[in-house]
Amino acid sequence: ALAALNLTPACALLKKPTPLTQLQLSLPAAELNWPARLELGGVKARGVLQSDRVIVTNGALVMQHAGLRWVAAPAAQLAEQLASARIASSANSIQKGAGKATIDVWLSDFNIAVSATGDTSVAVSASGAIRCANAKIASDLAPAAIVLPLNSTDPQRIAERFNAAATKVITTLLT
């Protein structure tokens, strides 16, 4: 009890952390045009994207955004959004027969990039592989990448740019 009383004034001196703003990925399922007989395999990401931190890159320098975080790692959010899009498309179409394929997605970039001039942009890139039901090997999809100008510190604007970039990248992969 005496130790607790002695530490109380020290705790009062500690600065409380600033609350973080969390961003959530929200893709429009209707715009993705999920193919009728395509199943979602896995969604994976490179190491730096496997946390809930919003990553900022400046050349070879990789940083974490001071005030923003994702509600979950980008790959986990993307997997949830793609699963929802797949379910929405299968509810709207009748799937006949066999011949299903599976898509695996690899997320390479999902970050804010800072250019040499100091301008910021949202960079999203992914690649994938399609496995047909009876095939022994997968067919690689061409990588899709998009960079959208940002130049804003508003969390809502940042989330909107990530949503737009991710939607374009995934639509390209699905096409």
Side-chain angles (χ1 to χ4, degrees), residues 60-86:
L61 184 61
V62 177
M63 304 164 278
Q64 298 172 354
H65 195 286
L68 296 177
R69 288 202 180 169
W70 294 106
V71 294
Q77 290 188 81
L78 187 58
E80 288 175 358
Q81 293 293 309
L82 293 178
S84 294
R86 186 188 113 353

Side-chain angles (χ1 to χ4, degrees), residues 6 8 10 20 26 30 33 43 47 51 58 78 86 91 105 114 116-117 121 128 132-133 137 145 166:
N6 286 337
T8 302
L20 295 174
S26 179
N33 296 321
V43 178
S51 77
N58 187 352
L78 187 58
R86 186 188 113 353
V105 178
V114 180
T117 60
S121 56
C132 291
I137 59 171

Side-chain angles (χ1 to χ4, degrees), residues 20-40:
L20 295 174
T21 300
Q22 291 186 315
L23 303 179
Q24 182 171 348
L25 185 62
S26 179
L27 303 181
E31 287 182 32
L32 295 181
N33 296 321
W34 192 272
R37 287 182 265 172
L38 184 64
E39 297 289 328
L40 178 62

